[in-house]
Amino acid sequence: MKELAGRFAAITLAAVVLCVGGYWFFFAGGSASLGAGGGQEAAKSASQSKAQEGTAASGGEAVAVDAKDVKEAQEKAKEEAEKNKDKEKEKKEGKSPYPLQVMIVEAKRVEELDGAKSSGPFLILKASIGNTDKKPVSIVPQGIALMDSDADRHNVSKDGMAALAARQTPVFNAVDIPPNAAATASLVFELDEDEHPAVLTIQPAGGGDVMKFHLPESVKGI
């Protein structure tokens, strides 16, 4: 009986030792292994972070934008937008980018003019030319021309202008237009029926930029 009890005690002690050893191997040892792995991952992550910081510090692909440059670019874009807005507004309102403004009062074709040596046909434009500049603008017939739809240039007809003047019709001769004032008179061009007016050009007396005024569709189709 004592022998059986001794054997049972020995078997029980061996089982306890086996359980404790297995627990230590699978759990305690495994935990230590996982902890070591976690430490390696953390060290790897820290190493990569330092490498990235080093790349940025040494001027790598990642570039920081200068706030001053961004602000200047934004201000420039805003100025361009305002300029385009003003141009569109002036275009809609029919305002001229030149110191002169032109309004066509009447446009007509005639086959001939009494007193004119030229046989015609003639195109007569009655125009009002206004000066928005702060100084007078001088215009002469020699500085005025008409471009047709084929971009052919037609100078003012001296013969036609003389014929209209002889009939007491005001025509544009040499004239000084004061600031904020306008002059209204007629211009005569020799223009065939298949030639249609498109652009009126004016160059002030004494030189200067040539101003181009696109004529209204109602005049182009005449």
Side-chain angles (χ1 to χ4, degrees):
M1 196 64 182
K2 289 181 179 180
E3 185 179 354
L4 290 174
R7 288 180 180 180
F8 181 76
I11 293 172
T12 300
L13 179 60
V16 171
V17 171
L18 181 62
C19 290
V20 172
Y23 174 84
W24 178 261
F25 179 83
F26 287 106
F27 292 95
S31 298
S33 176
L34 288 174
Q40 292 175 357
E41 289 296 328
K44 183 178 180 181
S45 177
S47 176
Q48 290 177 348
S49 177
K50 289 181 179 180
Q52 290 174 354
E53 290 175 1
T55 302
S58 61
E61 294 182 359
V63 179
V65 179
D66 192 333
K68 182 180 179 181
D69 292 340
V70 173
K71 186 177 180 181
E72 289 178 353
Q74 290 174 342
E75 290 177 351
K76 186 176 180 181
K78 186 178 180 180
E79 289 177 0
E80 290 296 328
E82 289 295 331
K83 288 181 181 179
N84 293 333
K85 185 178 179 180
D86 292 340
K87 288 181 180 179
E88 288 297 324
K89 185 178 179 180
E90 289 181 356
K91 186 177 180 181
K92 289 180 180 179
E93 294 177 355
K95 291 184 178 180
S96 170
Y98 306 118
L100 296 181
Q101 290 185 338
V102 174
M103 180 176 64
I104 304 300
V105 179
E106 184 182 6
K108 62 181 180 180
R109 286 180 181 270
V110 295
E111 291 299 324
E112 59 183 23
L113 282 173
D114 292 338
K117 297 178 181 179
S118 302
S119 59
F122 298 98
L123 173 69
I124 302 175
L125 292 179
K126 184 177 181 181
S128 179
I129 302 178
N131 179 17
T132 61
D133 203 357
K134 296 180 179 180
K135 57 184 179 180
V137 176
S138 300
I139 59 173
V140 293
Q142 295 84 350
I144 302 175
L146 185 70
M147 306 291 288
D148 63 27
S149 52
D150 293 327
D152 292 328
R153 179 185 173 90
H154 302 270
N155 294 322
V156 171
S157 171
K158 294 181 180 179
D159 192 27
M161 295 278 280
L164 279 189
R167 295 160 54 179
Q168 305 300 314
T169 300
V171 294
F172 275 106
N173 289 315
V175 59
D176 290 333
I177 306 178
N180 301 316
T184 302
S186 295
L187 295 163
V188 184
F189 303 91
E190 290 186 43
L191 205 67
D192 292 333
E193 292 182 357
D194 59 345
E195 297 173 325
H196 298 279
V199 177
L200 182 70
T201 65
I202 301 176
Q203 184 176 29
D209 294 335
V210 176
M211 308 177 204
K212 297 181 179 181
F213 301 91
H214 291 268
L215 297 173
E217 293 298 327
S218 58
V219 177
K220 291 180 180 180
I222 194 173

